[in-house]
Each structure stands twice: as structure tokens, then as C-alpha cells.
Amino acid sequence: MGQHAILSASASKRWMNCTPSALLEKQFADEESIYAAEGTAAHALAEHKLKRFLKKRSKRPVSDYDCDEMEECTDDYVSFAMEQIEKAKQSCSDPVVMIEQRLDFSRWVPEGFGTGDLVIVADDTLYIVDLKYGKGIAVSAEWNPQMLLYSLGALELFDSLYDIEKVNMTIHQPRLENVSNFEITVHDLMEWAEQELMPKAEMAAKGEGEFAVGDWCRFCKAKNTCRARAEEYLRLARMEFKPPELLSEEEIAEVLKVADELAKWSADVYAYAQDEAITHGRVWNGFKLVEGRSNRKYVNEEEVADAAKAAGYEDIYKKSLIGITEMEKLMGKKDFQKILGSLVYKPQGKITLVPESDKRPPIQTETAEADFKEDE
Ligand code: SF4
């Protein structure tokens, strides 16, 4: 992958919603998070496995992130990819299969390109599959700009050679067991590209348009110091309340609506300021660096055990079972299910107040009341 496009496919949701963000981000250095590095390692392993399945030469990559979970997830992805290839073969005896294919969509987005994990051309259908190794949130393929951009890039490669009428796109997130699929006609894709994509890409490339705050800010390099984001949250925090002295139910509901976002934003700014102070010696008016609380530690466990035993103390060790996640990693998902499936249960979660948009079904008030009483 290496080089990054300013208007990249992976960041397209952000720059399509907040067009000036692409140029604003340019002043921040590229810093690869451990999650991104882990994702890159998983992609390299998946690419290798898929190539071997397709009887192509490939050398197994080695990374610091190799683990049972990555093995299983990439196996899952490869079986899914092979299913897609088999599906394509049902309508076309000799589909074109491309792995980690560079896709150039610069006809619609200035200097735009990305990498398609799996691209299959089977007569009138183009299949695009994207592996997402993260386990943050489930991503939908429906009108997903990243997938639509990959589709445009793939069409640019193959449209003159094949009579492609529709594009079938899938996001595969093995760690979340999420498989999201969306199919679109080439006609609708082109309409979206001309009416939605091109005007926004043009603005984004010039740094024009309005800043817009939303969930896409999460991956923006400017998020800690972005003025638009600060103004939006400070505006929310400056809600005007009128007398009487106590907040009304409506006013409390207003506070709840913004509390979560406000907390995330202030945590981002705090983390940024702290990092600047620690790593660059930056001084913030009214703040200082101090040492956090710490717990006592043994200098050397073996020496401690020897000394305690020599003093006549025998009962100095304790043995405990490893946690569920560690056990699942140790056994692998399938064996874990087979050996311990019936011995693991999920207790009822702590009752929490969340916005209506949350996907979990609401629970009955009576139950909530009863549970709160039990907790008392
Ligand atoms: S933080 Fe949000 S509002 Fe600010 S530039 Fe980035 S995407 Fe736009």
C-alpha cells in the first residue's frame, strides 16, 4: 500500500461529509496506529493464504501480530472469498480474479486510488470484497463510499473489456462476524459518481466547503485541534437554561443528548494536550506534569519467593484460571466452543441509559425497576 492518497477511499466518508478536512489533515504527520499495523499484517496474511488457495506463488509473511485469532480470521475470510469465486463461476466459466489490486478512480476523484482486497469479474457482474480486520464497529456495505470508489476503480480497469451491468460489494469483518452485502447497477453507480461524488471531491481537493462535525471525525488527524469540532461541542456545552433553579425533565434530556459526544471530544483534547506536554515539553497555562500513583512491585519474583520460603512462609503462591478471552485465544474459536461452549454463560448486562438510536432493544421499565431494586 505505502503511499497515501489525499482523497483516499478509506477516508471518503469523512471528506465527502466534511470537504475541507482533506487539506486540513495534510499538516499532520502520518502516524500508524497499532490497529492499522495489525490490519496491514492481517491483510498480508489473508493475501498470502488466498494466493496459495488459488495455486499462486506466495511467501508467508511474518509479523509481530501473528496469533491464533489472526489465523482463524484470515481462514474465515479466505473461505468466504473462495465461496465468492465459486459463486462467480456459476455464471461465468472463467472469471478474472484479482487480489490486492490497485484501483485507480482518479477519473472522478483527483489523484484517487485505493487497493481492492478481492476483485472478481464474471461477465456482467463485478464482485468487490473488502476485509476489515478491526473490531470497533460493524460497517455496512450499503451506499458505502469506500466500496463505491473501489467499484469505480475496478470498472475503470475492466469496463472496456466486459459488459458489466452490476456491482456486488461485500464487507467482511471476521472479528465481528459481520458480513454486509450491497448490489448496485452500473447505471446507479455512475449517477452517484457524477451527482454526489464528483462535486464533493472537487471541493475537497481545493479545501473548499463547510466543516461538518459527525462520527467521521473519529479518524480525522485534525480532530484534537479542529476549531469547527471545538465550536460545535462548546456550543452544545453552552446550552442556555432559564429559571427555576432546578433543571426540568426536558432540559435533562437535552444534556443527555450531548453528554456522550462532549465527553469524547474533551477526552481527545486532553489526551492530545498531555501527549504534547510529555513528548514535546509543551506548557499549558494552569497545568503541570506530575507522576501518577503507582503500586509497589517486587524487584525479582524468584528472590522474593526464596527469601519468603527461607523465612518459613510456604503459602505464598496462588493459581487462577486464565480469562475467557485468553482461553479462547489459546484454544481457537472452534475448539473453545466445542470444549467449553456449555460452560460459558453471559450474565445479564448492567442496565444503562442510551440514546434511542442504539441498536439494542429497549427493556421494560418494570424489569428495570425490579433490577435496580435488587441491586440496592
Ligand atoms: S475533526 Fe471533523 S469537522 Fe474537523 S476537519 Fe476533521 S472531519 Fe472536519
Side-chain angles (χ1 to χ4, degrees):
M1 279 179 260
Q3 195 188 351
H4 287 289
I6 295 176
L7 300 184
S8 69
S10 55
S12 52
K13 183 177 176 194
R14 176 177 47 70
W15 59 253
M16 282 190 72
N17 279 289
C18 177
T19 49
S21 64
L23 287 197
L24 186 70
E25 262 205 332
K26 270 180 74 180
Q27 48 187 297
F28 296 88
D30 270 333
E31 276 172 25
E32 192 181 45
S33 68
I34 54 162
Y35 305 108
E38 190 185 41
T40 306
H43 274 81
L45 185 58
E47 177 185 2
H48 160 75
K49 288 185 179 179
L50 193 51
K51 280 186 174 162
R52 295 308 299 260
F53 253 97
L54 296 169
K55 313 237 176 314
K56 292 186 179 182
R57 283 169 66 92
S58 174
K59 191 168 175 280
R60 189 185 164 93
V62 181
S63 89
D64 293 345
Y65 300 96
D66 288 341
C67 64
D68 290 347
E69 187 182 22
M70 193 176 280
E71 280 302 328
E72 279 185 27
C73 289
T74 46
D75 282 350
D76 272 5
Y77 165 74
V78 170
S79 347
F80 178 78
M82 292 306 291
E83 269 171 36
Q84 294 292 297
I85 295 169
E86 287 309 315
K87 195 166 129 192
K89 279 185 182 164
Q90 286 166 13
S91 61
C92 165
S93 57
D94 193 18
V96 178
V97 177
M98 324 228 35
I99 302 164
E100 289 290 314
Q101 174 64 40
R102 182 182 160 105
L103 300 170
D104 186 323
F105 44 85
S106 57
R107 178 143 76 95
W108 300 271
V109 174
E111 295 173 30
F113 69 89
T115 309
D117 295 332
L118 173 64
V119 178
I120 309 167
V121 191
D123 290 339
D124 70 344
T125 309
L126 180 65
Y127 294 87
I128 311 272
V129 180
D130 189 46
L131 164 67
K132 291 201 184 296
Y133 191 64
K135 53 179 178 182
I137 40 168
V139 183
S140 166
E142 199 164 330
W143 290 105
N144 180 302
Q146 180 179 9
M147 298 304 283
L148 297 169
L149 288 174
Y150 287 160
S151 305
L152 289 170
L155 275 178
E156 190 73 343
L157 272 181
F158 300 110
D159 206 27
S160 56
L161 306 171
Y162 298 83
D163 208 4
I164 300 169
E165 285 177 12
K166 54 183 191 286
V167 187
N168 185 299
M169 44 197 104
T170 307
I171 290 176
H172 188 82
Q173 282 176 288
R175 285 164 110 187
L176 291 175
E177 292 175 10
N178 175 46
V179 177
S180 177
N181 180 266
F182 181 58
E183 195 165 276
I184 187 174
T185 61
V186 170
H187 173 268
D188 287 352
L189 176 62
M190 289 304 170
E191 206 170 81
W192 172 82
E194 272 157 38
Q195 292 175 8
E196 286 275 322
L197 173 65
M198 284 176 84
K200 286 185 178 153
E202 207 175 306
M203 284 164 78
K206 291 183 193 154
E208 292 173 357
E210 300 287 326
F211 286 98
V213 179
D215 62 358
W216 47 86
C217 294
R218 204 152 67 97
F219 298 111
C220 180
K221 283 187 221 153
K223 71 175 183 181
N224 298 320
T225 45
C226 169
R227 182 169 299 279
R229 194 168 176 237
E231 279 174 357
E232 170 70 8
Y233 291 123
L234 290 174
R235 185 183 64 76
L236 295 175
R238 271 198 301 264
M239 288 189 305
E240 281 184 18
F241 297 119
K242 298 176 190 70
E245 291 78 2
L246 298 178
L247 295 179
S248 68
E249 282 184 15
E250 289 76 21
E251 286 169 332
I252 290 174
E254 283 302 305
V255 173
L256 290 177
K257 270 187 216 159
V258 299
D260 196 31
E261 288 301 309
L262 211 52
K264 278 188 209 148
W265 168 70
S266 57
D268 280 347
V269 177
Y270 213 102
Y272 163 79
Q274 182 164 287
D275 183 61
E276 283 287 302
I278 296 170
T279 54
H280 303 296
R282 196 82 172 256
V283 178
W284 304 104
N285 204 1
F287 285 80
K288 62 183 178 186
L289 288 174
V290 294
E291 263 190 25
R293 288 184 212 293
S294 70
N295 295 322
R296 293 175 301 164
K297 283 186 186 308
Y298 291 131
V299 176
N300 179 312
E301 290 202 359
E302 266 176 43
E303 283 178 25
V304 168
D306 289 345
K309 276 186 211 159
Y313 294 95
E314 288 300 323
D315 213 7
I316 56 170
Y317 289 104
K318 70 174 176 195
K319 205 173 185 181
S320 62
L321 203 56
I322 57 174
I324 292 184
T325 312
E326 211 178 331
M327 187 75 86
E328 196 174 45
K329 259 191 178 172
L330 180 76
M331 295 181 171
K333 266 191 187 158
K334 281 178 199 140
D335 279 350
F336 176 83
Q337 193 50 34
K338 204 164 74 191
I339 302 166
L340 299 178
S342 62
L343 297 173
V344 173
Y345 81 107
K346 207 165 186 284
Q348 191 188 1
K350 191 171 185 307
I351 294 169
T352 317
L353 187 65
V354 296
E356 255 172 21
S357 56
D358 191 284
K359 286 205 178 85
R360 286 167 287 182
I363 56 169
Q364 296 304 315
T365 323
E366 292 82 18
T367 325
E369 267 178 18
D371 283 352
F372 275 128
K373 278 190 186 130
E374 268 176 36
D375 277 355
E376 278 171 7

